[in-house]
């Protein structure tokens, strides 16, 4: 009987793509992949190590499966991913129940490591160079079958002072365009209709191997692939959003009119302290240009509240900016001091409660903005991809092109016709609920 392996992947879509590569390699070697990790012989927790809340979630998940191991319900627990890479020795020393701690550069050794655990029962710690993390190879798609993420680069060279990603995943390195297009074609041939392009900084794609950003050209090539209906790009840094990229999004029908642009702040002094570029004037003008060239564009951003040294006046400027710009989608997080980053040791650290309170203020304002924007959707018809049926609400739910999977809101709707997951339908909106919309399918 084949060894059953289950995986829990935490964190971002980029981490999820890594998990899908690992699952493919395991299946190819004869392991049985089970969807419920609690029913597996071996459980792999693919961890996130980005901020404190993500680290705590990863540790809690590992401990949960270690308890099942102690109860005899599973045989081995393995930690992979960013937390395992970031805290190599600490992971094994502080959680001795772990059978293996595997760094990112050792993902390709996973099959041999599991066999080694079964053979001699001794704990394993395996690491490698960050550049040993492959972006190529087969995948087992773990999302709903109609959409998938495609990773176009690994690592990051931006070195924002609050971020540990460069230390965890290494310098930015792009994939060859022909390899990305080949993988995208395979995804389309296997039923994927929504492609989500990801990297730590998608707008930097190609600079290291082609000498300039090649994201617009890549997107144009992806649009030529039959089968895709929506192509969405996440994590576009504002200072690298060029006129060419804006014009490409505006002109290509398959590119959804959605731009994910994490700006983190608007005050020039805070952005400089973050090792980010720009200021309120630059961002305001950029956003005005985007909205002029891409009518009805959906702008999504993320902000950090309570960065070291952020004054009340600078925070108030951020609040005013949010009210002025009226982002369609926005998330705000309290600054998380991360060991090994420059911001961790900066002077004028702000108390946790103040950081959290400032983030709450931003999100309360965004709720008001979202309510106002949702009201404008009343009476409008949207194309929606059906994601499933909610038994409790007794209706279908899905997303329009204005909403990214696993991030943004939903549209709940009635339908006289039975629908299948992944089917695209027209929905007339007639009500709202927090960040979500409510409506009915129309012919």
């Amino acid at each position: 009987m084949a060894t059953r392996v289950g995986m829990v992947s935490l964190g971002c879509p980029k981490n999820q793509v890594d998990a899908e590569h690992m699952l493919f390699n395991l299946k190819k070697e004869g392991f049985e992949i089970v969807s419920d990790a609690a029913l597996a012989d071996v459980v792999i927790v693919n961890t996130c190590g980005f901020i404190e809340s993500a680290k705590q979630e990863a540790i809690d998940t590992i401990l949960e499966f270690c308890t099942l191991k102690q109860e005899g319900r599973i045989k081995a627990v393995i930690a992979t991913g960013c937390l395992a890479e970031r805290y190599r020795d600490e992971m094994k020393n502080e959680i001795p129940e772990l059978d293996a701690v595997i760094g990112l550069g050792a993902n390709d050794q996973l099959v041999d490591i599991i066999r080694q655990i079964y053979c001699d029962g001794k704990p394993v710690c395996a690491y490698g160079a960050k550049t040993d993390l492959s972006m190529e190879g087969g995948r087992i798609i773990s999302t709903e079958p109609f959409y998938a993420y495609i990773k176009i680069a690994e690592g990051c060279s931006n070195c924002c002072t609050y971020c540990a990603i460069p230390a965890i995943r290494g310098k930015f390195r792009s994939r060859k365009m022909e390899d990305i297009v080949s993988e995208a074609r395979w995804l389309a041939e296997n039923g994927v209709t929504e492609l989500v392009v990801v990297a730590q900084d998608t707008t930097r794609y190609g600079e290291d191997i082609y000498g300039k950003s090649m994201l617009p050209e890549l997107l144009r090539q992806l649009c030529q692939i039959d089968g895709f209906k929506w192509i969405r790009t996440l994590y576009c840094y504002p200072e690298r959003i060029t006129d060419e990229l804006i014009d490409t999004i505006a002109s290509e029908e398959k590119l959804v009119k959605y731009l994910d642009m994490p700006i983190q702040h608007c005050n020039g002094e805070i952005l400089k302290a973050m090792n980010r570029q720009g200021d309120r004037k630059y961002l305001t003008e950029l956003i005005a240009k985007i909205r002029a060239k891409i009518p009805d564009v959906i702008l999504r951003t993320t902000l950090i509240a309570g960065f070291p040294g952020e004054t009340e006046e600078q925070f108030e400027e951020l609040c005013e900016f949010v009210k002025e710009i009226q982002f369609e989608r926005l998330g705000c997080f309290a600054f998380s001091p991360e060991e090994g980053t420059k911001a961790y040791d900066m002077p004028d650290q702000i108390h946790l409660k103040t950081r959290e309170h400032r983030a709450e203020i931003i999100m309360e304002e965004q709720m008001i903005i979202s309510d106002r924007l949702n009201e404008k959707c009343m009476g409008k018809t949207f194309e929606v991809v059906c994601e499933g049926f909610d038994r409790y609400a007794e209706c279908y739910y899905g997303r329009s092109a204005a909403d990214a999977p696993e991030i943004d809101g939903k549209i709940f709707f009635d339908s006289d016709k039975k629908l299948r997951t992944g089917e695209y339908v027209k929905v007339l909106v007639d009500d709202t609920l927090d960040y979500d919309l409510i409506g009915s399918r129309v012919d």
Side-chain angles (χ1 to χ4, degrees):
M1 181 178 177
T3 300
R4 295 167 299 177
V5 177
M7 180 175 287
V8 176
S9 190
L10 306 172
C12 69
K14 301 178 288 293
N15 209 37
Q16 188 168 350
V17 173
D18 294 343
E20 293 174 351
H21 283 301
M22 287 186 277
L23 289 172
F24 177 87
N25 291 336
L26 288 164
K27 186 174 182 179
K28 184 176 66 174
E29 293 297 321
F31 292 89
E32 178 187 352
I33 308 301
V34 297
S35 57
D36 186 348
L39 302 178
D41 301 309
V42 177
V43 174
I44 302 163
V45 182
N46 191 34
T47 61
C48 177
F50 183 46
I51 58 176
E52 190 60 35
S53 58
K55 290 186 286 186
Q56 190 59 54
E57 181 187 19
I59 292 169
D60 290 344
T61 303
I62 290 169
L63 293 176
E64 175 186 340
F65 287 109
C66 286
T67 298
L68 295 182
K69 175 188 169 185
Q70 292 171 342
E71 295 172 354
R73 296 169 59 181
I74 59 179
K75 297 178 181 177
V77 181
I78 296 172
T80 63
C82 288
L83 194 70
E85 174 71 24
R86 186 177 181 185
Y87 298 102
R88 297 182 173 191
D89 296 332
E90 295 95 324
M91 288 283 289
K92 193 67 193 77
N93 292 335
E94 296 183 17
I95 313 178
E97 298 91 343
L98 278 169
D99 295 274
V101 179
I102 303 175
L104 297 169
N107 279 359
D108 286 346
Q109 302 174 35
L110 182 58
V111 169
D112 292 335
I113 288 170
I114 292 177
R115 288 173 175 160
Q116 183 179 341
I117 291 170
Y118 265 71
C119 180
D120 58 26
K122 294 181 180 179
V124 177
C125 291
Y127 308 99
K130 300 181 194 302
T131 52
D132 288 344
L133 174 61
S134 175
M135 291 181 276
E136 310 303 332
R139 295 166 57 185
I140 292 179
I141 302 304
S142 58
T143 54
E144 293 291 342
F146 60 87
Y147 80 89
Y149 299 103
I150 188 162
K151 185 160 66 169
I152 64 173
E154 180 56 74
C156 187
S157 297
N158 291 327
C159 298
C160 302
T161 57
Y162 54 81
C163 183
I165 293 298
I168 297 171
R169 288 187 171 261
K171 293 182 179 180
F172 186 89
R173 53 191 179 98
S174 303
R175 295 176 66 187
K176 292 181 179 179
M177 191 176 298
E178 57 266 32
D179 292 336
I180 299 170
V181 173
S182 177
E183 181 181 356
R185 189 172 290 113
W186 174 81
L187 290 169
E189 290 169 353
N190 283 272
V192 171
T193 57
E194 180 180 4
L195 186 70
V196 186
V197 177
V198 296
Q200 194 63 32
D201 176 0
T202 52
T203 37
R204 196 165 190 156
Y205 171 72
E207 286 185 2
D208 53 325
I209 56 178
Y210 301 115
K212 65 174 184 176
S213 174
M214 293 292 283
L215 180 61
E217 174 60 23
L218 173 63
L219 293 176
R220 288 192 289 267
Q221 291 201 27
L222 293 176
C223 287
Q224 295 174 16
I225 298 174
D226 292 335
F228 293 135
K229 187 175 182 64
W230 293 344
I231 299 176
R232 186 185 309 274
T233 306
L234 303 183
Y235 317 121
C236 297
Y237 276 52
E239 62 267 28
R240 295 193 180 89
I241 295 177
T242 61
D243 288 345
E244 183 186 10
L245 177 59
I246 296 171
D247 291 341
T248 300
I249 295 173
S251 61
E252 291 287 351
E253 184 179 349
K254 291 183 180 180
L255 296 180
V256 297
K257 309 317 172 195
Y258 177 107
L259 193 55
D260 176 60
M261 183 175 61
I263 63 172
Q264 311 307 348
H265 214 282
C266 71
N267 177 268
E269 293 179 1
I270 293 294
L271 286 169
K272 184 177 180 180
M274 290 178 169
N275 197 32
R276 299 292 296 263
Q277 298 181 33
D279 55 21
R280 182 174 180 176
K281 180 176 182 293
Y282 171 83
L283 292 168
T284 301
E285 291 175 351
L286 173 63
I287 291 166
K289 179 197 293 185
I290 293 169
R291 284 178 164 160
K293 290 191 172 186
I294 312 175
D296 300 322
V297 67
I298 300 297
L299 291 180
R300 176 176 179 81
T301 197
T302 51
L303 304 173
I304 295 175
F307 190 80
E310 182 189 61
T311 65
E312 288 287 352
E313 291 77 17
Q314 289 167 333
F315 174 67
E316 184 59 35
E317 181 183 0
L318 182 61
C319 293
E320 292 172 357
F321 179 75
V322 169
K323 293 177 184 178
E324 174 191 351
I325 298 298
Q326 301 275 300
F327 287 99
E328 285 80 10
R329 309 283 183 266
L330 182 147
C332 184
F333 304 91
F335 168 71
S336 176
E338 297 299 317
E339 304 98 328
T341 65
K342 290 184 178 180
Y344 184 79
D345 295 317
M346 281 183 176
D348 302 319
Q349 296 283 331
I350 295 172
H351 193 278
L352 174 60
K353 287 186 178 180
T354 302
R355 286 182 262 143
E356 292 178 339
H357 181 59
R358 289 181 180 181
E360 288 171 1
I361 290 172
I362 295 288
M363 290 310 299
E364 287 171 0
E365 180 58 38
Q366 183 61 28
M367 175 64 83
I368 295 170
I369 294 169
S370 295
D371 287 344
R372 189 180 305 123
L373 293 174
N374 277 350
E375 287 292 331
K376 293 181 179 181
C377 295
M378 299 279 283
K380 292 184 179 180
T381 299
F382 296 89
E383 187 170 30
V384 173
V385 60
C386 178
E387 295 184 301
F389 186 82
D390 189 318
R391 292 185 295 109
Y392 299 102
E394 296 185 340
C395 65
Y396 289 94
Y397 61 91
R399 290 178 293 106
S400 72
D403 298 297
E406 304 179 30
I407 301 174
D408 298 321
K410 304 284 187 186
I411 297 182
F412 294 89
F413 61 97
D414 297 318
S415 175
D416 295 333
K417 171 188 171 186
K418 186 174 181 180
L419 303 176
R420 57 179 175 78
T421 300
E423 185 174 352
Y424 290 80
V425 297
K426 301 290 186 181
V427 173
L428 175 64
V429 172
D430 55 24
D431 203 354
T432 67
L433 178 65
D434 295 331
Y435 290 105
D436 301 321
L437 300 173
I438 300 172
S440 299
R441 184 185 66 84
V442 293
D443 294 328

